[in-house]
Amino acid sequence: KALEEVVVIGYGVQKKSVVTAAISQVSGDELAKGSPTNFQNALKGKVSGVQIMSESGAPGAGSTVRIRGVGTINNSNPLYLVDGMPVDDINNINPSDIESVEVLKDAASAAIYGTRGANGVVLVTTKRGRVEKAKISFKTEHTISSPTRLPEFVGSADYLDLFNEARHNDGELPQFSDDLIAHYRNNDDPDLYPNTNWIDKMLRKNTFTHRYTLNVRGGTEKAKYFVSAAYYNESGIFKGSPTKQYNTNIGIDRINLRSNIDMNVSSTTTVGVDLALQYLVNNYPGTGTANIFRSMLITPPYTFPAVYSDGTVSTYSQERDANMRNPYNLLMNSGYAKEYRTAIQSKVYVDQKLDFITKGLSVRLNTSY
């Protein structure tokens, strides 16, 4: 039964039983399992010989994809084609709109694409209409994610004890007295003797994603259609600002719209019009997330509290170290940034049968923007 399956091979379709090139196939239903954030994440672990490494844990972040290792020095990314047309950003596509994916892994299967296919080719076929009554589908997905591992830090008293021990091992006198360390250990005054766990102060235990997908599919012998709309939201791991004046967390909101229409304008001519649109909003803290995480990791717990007990913003003395910043201020009190992106892809094709010349002969014209 499996050998009778049809596989897209780049220049047409073949039965799997006669395919000799290295091609792997993934169905759209398999791809959409687990509510993936984007197409590249959806493909993880589903195709042999394909390595997918996340570039970041930030919402909406892409991945590095390598098919059978590094093929070229300057650019080892594969070529992506959606319904036969090359795309610049494969993550613009909604995973729920995909019918199947074929990954061409060897030189024989990717040869027709020339040098652009030197690192492999990923062929994405989106869903299209069928000759049936209109079917309306609505799906809602919600996930909760937790960090698999976060750094664990000692408290201020233990930190100062270890600091003195390090100086002792170097033959130097201790820098902090036992009386001072006792104040930190007893939590005598959170303002004067702080014990700040920056991870607990600034990071959530869980993050959430939500996806809502609505599509309509159907058609007649004359016209077939597939129309879908999807909304995706993913929140970041940072805690929100207590003032709620603006959102300082990383996060993403994405809307996908797709319309695939096929029309038989005559017994020998078929016309198709595809339109896909993505609207994306990214939110960031005013300071880069890499700087915030670095500051969380290198700022000692005894230095200062995140905020003084009277609500005053705490800062690091410039005389002590001009390079040190309060990580809490970097997140909560340094503004925010929003990025708006719109992507549109359209395709029009015409299929013309030329049976009057030779039976089975046809020609197709594709144009895409």
Side-chain angles (χ1 to χ4, degrees):
K1 182 178 178 181
L3 293 179
E4 293 299 310
E5 290 180 358
V6 171
V7 179
V8 179
I9 58 173
Y11 47 85
V13 294
Q14 284 186 347
K15 286 185 178 181
K16 188 174 285 187
S17 56
V18 299
V19 172
T20 58
I23 299 176
S24 293
Q25 186 178 33
V26 184
S27 68
D29 292 337
E30 181 69 21
L31 205 69
K33 286 182 180 178
S35 189
T37 58
N38 54 45
F39 172 82
Q40 291 173 333
N41 288 334
L43 205 58
K44 280 184 180 178
K46 295 182 173 66
V47 181
S48 62
V50 179
Q51 282 184 311
I52 302 177
M53 297 156 285
S54 297
E55 296 172 355
S56 164
S63 302
T64 300
V65 179
R66 296 290 179 263
I67 298 177
R68 290 188 170 180
V70 177
T72 55
I73 298 175
N74 58 339
N75 183 2
S76 293
N77 296 323
L79 173 64
Y80 297 100
L81 293 103
V82 177
D83 294 328
M85 291 298 177
V87 296
D88 294 326
D89 187 357
I90 189 62
N91 287 325
N92 285 340
I93 191 171
N94 177 25
S96 298
D97 292 345
I98 297 174
E99 185 73 43
S100 65
V101 175
E102 277 79 22
V103 181
L104 315 184
K105 293 182 283 189
D106 64 350
S109 59
I112 66 168
Y113 299 104
T115 57
R116 296 188 68 184
N119 300 301
V121 182
V122 179
L123 304 177
V124 178
T125 304
T126 60
K127 295 178 180 177
R128 311 198 71 85
R130 299 170 178 166
V131 180
E132 60 184 8
K133 290 183 179 180
K135 288 185 178 179
I136 301 175
S137 302
F138 177 74
K139 182 167 66 171
T140 174
E141 302 164 88
H142 307 274
T143 64
I144 301 175
S145 303
S146 301
T148 53
R149 184 174 60 184
L150 287 172
E152 296 183 10
F153 297 99
V154 298
S156 294
D158 292 333
Y159 185 97
L160 299 179
D161 271 337
L162 292 169
F163 194 96
N164 283 343
E165 182 179 331
R167 290 179 60 87
H168 174 76
N169 292 338
D170 289 339
E172 300 180 8
L173 295 175
Q175 183 171 327
F176 304 99
S177 67
D178 291 340
D179 289 341
L180 178 64
I181 294 175
H183 286 300
Y184 283 100
R185 196 176 301 279
N186 298 329
N187 296 317
D188 290 340
D189 188 329
D191 289 343
L192 290 177
Y193 312 105
N195 183 20
T196 310
N197 187 318
W198 299 108
I199 295 289
D200 288 346
K201 280 288 183 184
M202 299 170 59
L203 300 186
R204 299 175 176 180
K205 300 294 184 185
N206 304 294
T207 64
F208 302 90
T209 64
H210 310 278
R211 190 199 305 273
Y212 305 92
T213 305
L214 174 68
N215 62 59
V216 183
R217 193 176 196 178
T220 64
E221 293 292 345
K222 290 291 186 183
K224 293 172 283 188
Y225 55 86
F226 172 79
V227 181
S228 75
Y231 170 73
Y232 177 79
N233 168 267
E234 183 179 0
S235 61
I237 196 172
F238 290 129
K239 290 182 178 179
S241 171
T243 63
K244 296 186 171 140
Q245 292 180 335
Y246 45 77
N247 182 16
T248 60
N249 195 6
I250 47 178
I252 183 174
D253 289 278
R254 185 175 64 217
I255 296 174
N256 285 90
L257 301 174
R258 174 172 289 275
S259 171
N260 292 345
I261 299 175
D262 303 290
M263 297 170 289
N264 294 327
V265 296
S266 72
S267 59
T268 59
T269 307
T270 303
V271 177
V273 179
D274 299 351
L275 181 64
L277 180 144
Q278 181 196 64
Y279 178 71
L280 182 144
V281 180
N282 273 336
N283 198 84
Y284 308 98
T287 304
T289 55
N291 290 334
I292 293 174
F293 267 94
R294 179 181 181 276
S295 184
M296 279 195 300
L297 297 178
I298 68 172
T299 303
Y302 74 92
T303 313
F304 40 64
V307 180
Y308 287 112
S309 55
D310 63 355
T312 303
V313 173
S314 59
T315 59
Y316 201 94
S317 171
Q318 296 296 306
E319 290 78 18
R320 294 177 64 184
D321 191 340
N323 295 319
M324 289 293 287
R325 299 286 302 278
N326 183 342
Y328 186 85
N329 286 341
L330 293 179
L331 174 63
M332 303 297 184
N333 301 312
S334 299
Y336 71 101
K338 270 191 184 294
E339 176 189 11
Y340 301 86
R341 282 192 288 159
T342 303
I344 300 175
Q345 184 183 11
S346 61
K347 171 191 168 185
V348 177
Y349 77 87
V350 179
D351 273 343
Q352 179 64 52
K353 294 181 180 179
L354 302 175
D355 289 336
F356 66 91
I357 299 176
T358 299
K359 186 172 180 58
L361 181 65
S362 65
V363 63
R364 166 174 284 216
L365 171 66
N366 282 330
T367 180
S368 178
Y369 171 75

PDB file of all heavy atoms in Angstrom, residues 105-129:
ATOM      1  N   LYS A 105      16.933  15.034  -1.085  1.00  0.00           N
ATOM      2  CA  LYS A 105      18.180  15.055  -0.311  1.00  0.00           C
ATOM      3  C   LYS A 105      19.444  14.796  -1.123  1.00  0.00           C
ATOM      4  O   LYS A 105      20.536  15.101  -0.660  1.00  0.00           O
ATOM      5  CB  LYS A 105      18.080  14.030   0.830  1.00  0.00           C
ATOM      6  CG  LYS A 105      17.045  14.396   1.874  1.00  0.00           C
ATOM      7  CD  LYS A 105      16.987  13.402   3.003  1.00  0.00           C
ATOM      8  CE  LYS A 105      16.259  12.145   2.604  1.00  0.00           C
ATOM      9  NZ  LYS A 105      16.008  11.256   3.757  1.00  0.00           N
ATOM     10  N   ASP A 106      19.332  14.220  -2.304  1.00  0.00           N
ATOM     11  CA  ASP A 106      20.558  13.900  -3.031  1.00  0.00           C
ATOM     12  C   ASP A 106      20.644  14.696  -4.330  1.00  0.00           C
ATOM     13  O   ASP A 106      19.710  15.398  -4.721  1.00  0.00           O
ATOM     14  CB  ASP A 106      20.652  12.400  -3.314  1.00  0.00           C
ATOM     15  CG  ASP A 106      19.540  11.923  -4.235  1.00  0.00           C
ATOM     16  OD1 ASP A 106      18.602  12.712  -4.488  1.00  0.00           O
ATOM     17  OD2 ASP A 106      19.607  10.778  -4.694  1.00  0.00           O
ATOM     18  N   ALA A 107      21.783  14.602  -4.983  1.00  0.00           N
ATOM     19  CA  ALA A 107      22.028  15.395  -6.195  1.00  0.00           C
ATOM     20  C   ALA A 107      21.072  15.022  -7.317  1.00  0.00           C
ATOM     21  O   ALA A 107      20.643  15.878  -8.096  1.00  0.00           O
ATOM     22  CB  ALA A 107      23.470  15.212  -6.648  1.00  0.00           C
ATOM     23  N   ALA A 108      20.700  13.757  -7.398  1.00  0.00           N
ATOM     24  CA  ALA A 108      19.822  13.317  -8.480  1.00  0.00           C
ATOM     25  C   ALA A 108      18.444  13.968  -8.380  1.00  0.00           C
ATOM     26  O   ALA A 108      17.877  14.434  -9.372  1.00  0.00           O
ATOM     27  CB  ALA A 108      19.691  11.794  -8.452  1.00  0.00           C
ATOM     28  N   SER A 109      17.907  14.024  -7.149  1.00  0.00           N
ATOM     29  CA  SER A 109      16.558  14.559  -6.978  1.00  0.00           C
ATOM     30  C   SER A 109      16.518  16.068  -7.094  1.00  0.00           C
ATOM     31  O   SER A 109      15.510  16.648  -7.482  1.00  0.00           O
ATOM     32  CB  SER A 109      15.998  14.130  -5.619  1.00  0.00           C
ATOM     33  OG  SER A 109      16.840  14.595  -4.582  1.00  0.00           O
ATOM     34  N   ALA A 110      17.636  16.751  -6.754  1.00  0.00           N
ATOM     35  CA  ALA A 110      17.665  18.213  -6.760  1.00  0.00           C
ATOM     36  C   ALA A 110      18.331  18.786  -8.005  1.00  0.00           C
ATOM     37  O   ALA A 110      18.480  20.002  -8.118  1.00  0.00           O
ATOM     38  CB  ALA A 110      18.394  18.713  -5.508  1.00  0.00           C
ATOM     39  N   ALA A 111      18.719  17.930  -8.948  1.00  0.00           N
ATOM     40  CA  ALA A 111      19.525  18.377 -10.086  1.00  0.00           C
ATOM     41  C   ALA A 111      18.825  19.435 -10.928  1.00  0.00           C
ATOM     42  O   ALA A 111      19.461  20.344 -11.454  1.00  0.00           O
ATOM     43  CB  ALA A 111      19.892  17.182 -10.951  1.00  0.00           C
ATOM     44  N   ILE A 112      17.500  19.351 -11.071  1.00  0.00           N
ATOM     45  CA  ILE A 112      16.806  20.288 -11.964  1.00  0.00           C
ATOM     46  C   ILE A 112      16.808  21.714 -11.423  1.00  0.00           C
ATOM     47  O   ILE A 112      16.492  22.647 -12.158  1.00  0.00           O
ATOM     48  CB  ILE A 112      15.353  19.831 -12.216  1.00  0.00           C
ATOM     49  CG1 ILE A 112      14.546  19.902 -10.921  1.00  0.00           C
ATOM     50  CG2 ILE A 112      15.310  18.476 -12.830  1.00  0.00           C
ATOM     51  CD1 ILE A 112      13.062  19.740 -11.152  1.00  0.00           C
ATOM     52  N   TYR A 113      17.197  21.885 -10.160  1.00  0.00           N
ATOM     53  CA  TYR A 113      17.216  23.229  -9.590  1.00  0.00           C
ATOM     54  C   TYR A 113      18.599  23.870  -9.665  1.00  0.00           C
ATOM     55  O   TYR A 113      18.790  24.983  -9.186  1.00  0.00           O
ATOM     56  CB  TYR A 113      16.741  23.188  -8.130  1.00  0.00           C
ATOM     57  CG  TYR A 113      15.330  22.675  -8.002  1.00  0.00           C
ATOM     58  CD1 TYR A 113      15.077  21.385  -7.548  1.00  0.00           C
ATOM     59  CD2 TYR A 113      14.255  23.463  -8.370  1.00  0.00           C
ATOM     60  CE1 TYR A 113      13.789  20.903  -7.449  1.00  0.00           C
ATOM     61  CE2 TYR A 113      12.955  22.991  -8.279  1.00  0.00           C
ATOM     62  CZ  TYR A 113      12.731  21.715  -7.809  1.00  0.00           C
ATOM     63  OH  TYR A 113      11.447  21.246  -7.731  1.00  0.00           O
ATOM     64  N   GLY A 114      19.559  23.161 -10.216  1.00  0.00           N
ATOM     65  CA  GLY A 114      20.892  23.735 -10.399  1.00  0.00           C
ATOM     66  C   GLY A 114      21.580  24.010  -9.071  1.00  0.00           C
ATOM     67  O   GLY A 114      21.386  23.306  -8.077  1.00  0.00           O
ATOM     68  N   THR A 115      22.384  25.077  -9.051  1.00  0.00           N
ATOM     69  CA  THR A 115      23.170  25.390  -7.859  1.00  0.00           C
ATOM     70  C   THR A 115      22.291  25.758  -6.671  1.00  0.00           C
ATOM     71  O   THR A 115      22.696  25.600  -5.527  1.00  0.00           O
ATOM     72  CB  THR A 115      24.136  26.551  -8.143  1.00  0.00           C
ATOM     73  OG1 THR A 115      23.389  27.687  -8.605  1.00  0.00           O
ATOM     74  CG2 THR A 115      25.157  26.149  -9.191  1.00  0.00           C
ATOM     75  N   ARG A 116      21.087  26.274  -6.909  1.00  0.00           N
ATOM     76  CA  ARG A 116      20.214  26.654  -5.809  1.00  0.00           C
ATOM     77  C   ARG A 116      19.773  25.444  -4.997  1.00  0.00           C
ATOM     78  O   ARG A 116      19.413  25.559  -3.830  1.00  0.00           O
ATOM     79  CB  ARG A 116      18.982  27.396  -6.325  1.00  0.00           C
ATOM     80  CG  ARG A 116      19.301  28.720  -6.988  1.00  0.00           C
ATOM     81  CD  ARG A 116      18.044  29.500  -7.293  1.00  0.00           C
ATOM     82  NE  ARG A 116      17.376  29.947  -6.094  1.00  0.00           N
ATOM     83  CZ  ARG A 116      16.205  30.580  -6.084  1.00  0.00           C
ATOM     84  NH1 ARG A 116      15.580  30.816  -7.223  1.00  0.00           N
ATOM     85  NH2 ARG A 116      15.653  30.952  -4.948  1.00  0.00           N
ATOM     86  N   GLY A 117      19.805  24.271  -5.632  1.00  0.00           N
ATOM     87  CA  GLY A 117      19.417  23.061  -4.927  1.00  0.00           C
ATOM     88  C   GLY A 117      20.587  22.262  -4.402  1.00  0.00           C
ATOM     89  O   GLY A 117      20.431  21.092  -4.041  1.00  0.00           O
ATOM     90  N   ALA A 118      21.774  22.891  -4.329  1.00  0.00           N
ATOM     91  CA  ALA A 118      22.970  22.164  -3.903  1.00  0.00           C
ATOM     92  C   ALA A 118      22.878  21.665  -2.472  1.00  0.00           C
ATOM     93  O   ALA A 118      23.515  20.679  -2.103  1.00  0.00           O
ATOM     94  CB  ALA A 118      24.197  23.062  -4.061  1.00  0.00           C
ATOM     95  N   ASN A 119      22.096  22.328  -1.639  1.00  0.00           N
ATOM     96  CA  ASN A 119      21.966  21.934  -0.231  1.00  0.00           C
ATOM     97  C   ASN A 119      20.642  21.239   0.052  1.00  0.00           C
ATOM     98  O   ASN A 119      20.194  21.192   1.197  1.00  0.00           O
ATOM     99  CB  ASN A 119      22.105  23.171   0.659  1.00  0.00           C
ATOM    100  CG  ASN A 119      23.437  23.850   0.493  1.00  0.00           C
ATOM    101  OD1 ASN A 119      24.478  23.257   0.718  1.00  0.00           O
ATOM    102  ND2 ASN A 119      23.415  25.108   0.056  1.00  0.00           N
ATOM    103  N   GLY A 120      20.031  20.700  -0.984  1.00  0.00           N
ATOM    104  CA  GLY A 120      18.757  20.025  -0.821  1.00  0.00           C
ATOM    105  C   GLY A 120      17.591  20.954  -1.141  1.00  0.00           C
ATOM    106  O   GLY A 120      17.726  22.179  -1.183  1.00  0.00           O
ATOM    107  N   VAL A 121      16.448  20.349  -1.376  1.00  0.00           N
ATOM    108  CA  VAL A 121      15.245  21.101  -1.733  1.00  0.00           C
ATOM    109  C   VAL A 121      14.084  20.611  -0.874  1.00  0.00           C
ATOM    110  O   VAL A 121      13.923  19.406  -0.667  1.00  0.00           O
ATOM    111  CB  VAL A 121      14.907  20.921  -3.228  1.00  0.00           C
ATOM    112  CG1 VAL A 121      13.674  21.751  -3.610  1.00  0.00           C
ATOM    113  CG2 VAL A 121      16.090  21.307  -4.104  1.00  0.00           C
ATOM    114  N   VAL A 122      13.300  21.562  -0.367  1.00  0.00           N
ATOM    115  CA  VAL A 122      12.110  21.235   0.415  1.00  0.00           C
ATOM    116  C   VAL A 122      10.891  21.690  -0.383  1.00  0.00           C
ATOM    117  O   VAL A 122      10.713  22.890  -0.631  1.00  0.00           O
ATOM    118  CB  VAL A 122      12.131  21.912   1.796  1.00  0.00           C
ATOM    119  CG1 VAL A 122      10.869  21.561   2.578  1.00  0.00           C
ATOM    120  CG2 VAL A 122      13.371  21.498   2.581  1.00  0.00           C
ATOM    121  N   LEU A 123      10.084  20.718  -0.819  1.00  0.00           N
ATOM    122  CA  LEU A 123       8.889  21.008  -1.611  1.00  0.00           C
ATOM    123  C   LEU A 123       7.664  20.970  -0.703  1.00  0.00           C
ATOM    124  O   LEU A 123       7.368  19.937  -0.098  1.00  0.00           O
ATOM    125  CB  LEU A 123       8.721  19.982  -2.731  1.00  0.00           C
ATOM    126  CG  LEU A 123       9.897  19.828  -3.701  1.00  0.00           C
ATOM    127  CD1 LEU A 123       9.607  18.714  -4.696  1.00  0.00           C
ATOM    128  CD2 LEU A 123      10.169  21.125  -4.427  1.00  0.00           C
ATOM    129  N   VAL A 124       6.969  22.088  -0.605  1.00  0.00           N
ATOM    130  CA  VAL A 124       5.780  22.198   0.235  1.00  0.00           C
ATOM    131  C   VAL A 124       4.556  22.285  -0.669  1.00  0.00           C
ATOM    132  O   VAL A 124       4.486  23.150  -1.545  1.00  0.00           O
ATOM    133  CB  VAL A 124       5.852  23.434   1.142  1.00  0.00           C
ATOM    134  CG1 VAL A 124       4.586  23.558   1.988  1.00  0.00           C
ATOM    135  CG2 VAL A 124       7.083  23.375   2.041  1.00  0.00           C
ATOM    136  N   THR A 125       3.618  21.389  -0.452  1.00  0.00           N
ATOM    137  CA  THR A 125       2.359  21.404  -1.191  1.00  0.00           C
ATOM    138  C   THR A 125       1.244  21.798  -0.240  1.00  0.00           C
ATOM    139  O   THR A 125       1.018  21.123   0.778  1.00  0.00           O
ATOM    140  CB  THR A 125       2.057  20.028  -1.804  1.00  0.00           C
ATOM    141  OG1 THR A 125       3.156  19.625  -2.630  1.00  0.00           O
ATOM    142  CG2 THR A 125       0.794  20.076  -2.634  1.00  0.00           C
ATOM    143  N   THR A 126       0.565  22.901  -0.525  1.00  0.00           N
ATOM    144  CA  THR A 126      -0.507  23.358   0.359  1.00  0.00           C
ATOM    145  C   THR A 126      -1.822  22.676   0.001  1.00  0.00           C
ATOM    146  O   THR A 126      -1.980  22.105  -1.088  1.00  0.00           O
ATOM    147  CB  THR A 126      -0.675  24.891   0.292  1.00  0.00           C
ATOM    148  OG1 THR A 126      -0.987  25.274  -1.054  1.00  0.00           O
ATOM    149  CG2 THR A 126       0.604  25.586   0.727  1.00  0.00           C
ATOM    150  N   LYS A 127      -2.769  22.763   0.899  1.00  0.00           N
ATOM    151  CA  LYS A 127      -4.070  22.136   0.694  1.00  0.00           C
ATOM    152  C   LYS A 127      -4.852  22.881  -0.383  1.00  0.00           C
ATOM    153  O   LYS A 127      -4.743  24.094  -0.527  1.00  0.00           O
ATOM    154  CB  LYS A 127      -4.865  22.135   2.004  1.00  0.00           C
ATOM    155  CG  LYS A 127      -4.234  21.284   3.090  1.00  0.00           C
ATOM    156  CD  LYS A 127      -5.020  21.359   4.388  1.00  0.00           C
ATOM    157  CE  LYS A 127      -4.358  20.485   5.466  1.00  0.00           C
ATOM    158  NZ  LYS A 127      -5.062  20.587   6.766  1.00  0.00           N
ATOM    159  N   ARG A 128      -5.644  22.110  -1.136  1.00  0.00           N
ATOM    160  CA  ARG A 128      -6.464  22.689  -2.203  1.00  0.00           C
ATOM    161  C   ARG A 128      -7.891  22.159  -2.075  1.00  0.00           C
ATOM    162  O   ARG A 128      -8.173  21.240  -1.294  1.00  0.00           O
ATOM    163  CB  ARG A 128      -5.891  22.363  -3.579  1.00  0.00           C
ATOM    164  CG  ARG A 128      -4.402  22.651  -3.718  1.00  0.00           C
ATOM    165  CD  ARG A 128      -3.977  22.747  -5.160  1.00  0.00           C
ATOM    166  NE  ARG A 128      -4.501  23.965  -5.776  1.00  0.00           N
ATOM    167  CZ  ARG A 128      -3.891  25.152  -5.689  1.00  0.00           C
ATOM    168  NH1 ARG A 128      -2.768  25.289  -4.996  1.00  0.00           N
ATOM    169  NH2 ARG A 128      -4.421  26.211  -6.296  1.00  0.00           N
ATOM    170  N   GLY A 129      -8.777  22.737  -2.870  1.00  0.00           N
ATOM    171  CA  GLY A 129     -10.173  22.329  -2.814  1.00  0.00           C
ATOM    172  C   GLY A 129     -10.409  20.955  -3.413  1.00  0.00           C
ATOM    173  O   GLY A 129      -9.567  20.414  -4.137  1.00  0.00           O
TER     174      GLY A 129
END
